[in-house]
Amino acid sequence: MTWWWALLGAGVGCYLLKLAGLSVPAHVLERPLVERIADLIPVALLAALVAVQVFATGAHLTIDARAAGLAAAVVALMLRAPFLVVVVVAALTAALLRLVFPAW
């Protein structure tokens, strides 16, 4: 039952945060610094999510085939490959390394 209260509290908190964001005057949101921060926050959150998914297993930090897949994805991005190609390159790199090195 505690989880339901936590879920309900999180939902109410998200709603209130959204409501507060809609209440901010337009002249505050049109400042260059606020616009730049609003543009960069999703990128920072996605980068943090990728880092946690690649370098964490449970409560431990690990370096395994996922890190090599991420490195291959970065190389593909630097070569300006399309997004789906980047995803496939990362997945194939990690899969091949796990195939060759089963302990990974």
Side-chain angles (χ1 to χ4, degrees):
M1 188 67 177
T2 304
W3 285 105
W4 286 108
W5 286 111
L7 186 64
L8 183 63
V12 169
C14 287
Y15 177 76
L16 291 175
L17 187 61
K18 179 73 171 178
L19 186 62
L22 294 173
S23 303
V24 175
H27 68 86
V28 172
L29 298 176
E30 292 170 355
R31 294 180 184 164
L33 180 63
V34 173
E35 287 181 356
R36 182 164 168 82
I37 290 172
D39 287 342
L40 293 177
I41 284 176
V43 175
L45 289 173
L46 182 59
L49 176 65
V50 167
V52 167
Q53 291 296 318
V54 169
F55 296 113
T57 301
H60 304 287
L61 291 176
T62 58
I63 295 180
D64 57 7
R66 296 175 294 179
L70 179 62
V74 168
V75 170
L77 280 172
M78 290 173 60
L79 295 174
R80 300 211 178 258
F83 178 72
L84 288 178
V85 173
V86 171
V87 171
V88 169
V89 164
L92 283 177
T93 302
L96 287 174
L97 281 173
R98 286 182 177 164
L99 184 66
V100 173
F101 303 108
W104 251 15

